[in-house]
Amino acid sequence: MKIKKNDQVQLIAGKDRGKRGKVLRVFPAEKKVVVEGLNASKKHARSKRQGEKGQRVDIFSPVHVSNVMLVCSRCGKPARVGFRIKEKNKFRICKKCENEL
């Protein structure tokens, strides 16, 4: 997968289209990522102690990798990811500005 944890991504499809967030978790086997602040749903949590109130908690659901695009740190635009090999090291690059990510 071309997207890793802590990458800045932009959602290109779905109800939160156009929003940006940081990748919290990656599920390579399912080809899904969890992005902070995107694809949120409410979960009702019960009170843990007597006298405490229950609450509604935001849960960020996984999104398929094809629906997110990596945001380049240099040009600040969502771009496709390519690879370049230098002296036995493989780097991800932005296809728009050729910057290493």
Side-chain angles (χ1 to χ4, degrees), residues 1 23 25-34 62-65:
M1 264 177 37
V23 176
R25 291 185 69 188
V26 178
F27 302 104
E30 299 150 25
K31 296 189 178 178
K32 292 188 177 198
V33 292
V34 176
V63 182
H64 197 270
V65 168

Side-chain angles (χ1 to χ4, degrees), residues 72-75 92-101:
C72 178
S73 56
R74 182 173 166 200
C75 62
R92 295 183 303 165
I93 61 165
C94 169
K95 286 283 197 169
K96 285 189 177 181
C97 65
E98 301 290 321
N99 181 41
E100 285 183 12
L101 299 172

Side-chain angles (χ1 to χ4, degrees), residues 37-49:
L38 301 181
N39 203 24
S41 57
K42 300 276 187 204
K43 180 181 179 185
H44 293 4
R46 224 174 229 195
S47 60
K48 294 194 168 115
R49 294 187 196 104

Side-chain angles (χ1 to χ4, degrees), residues 73-90:
S73 56
R74 182 173 166 200
C75 62
K77 297 177 184 175
R80 291 179 298 148
V81 179
F83 290 97
R84 183 167 289 149
I85 298 171
K86 283 187 194 173
E87 304 165 11
K88 299 182 182 179
N89 293 328
K90 191 174 181 180

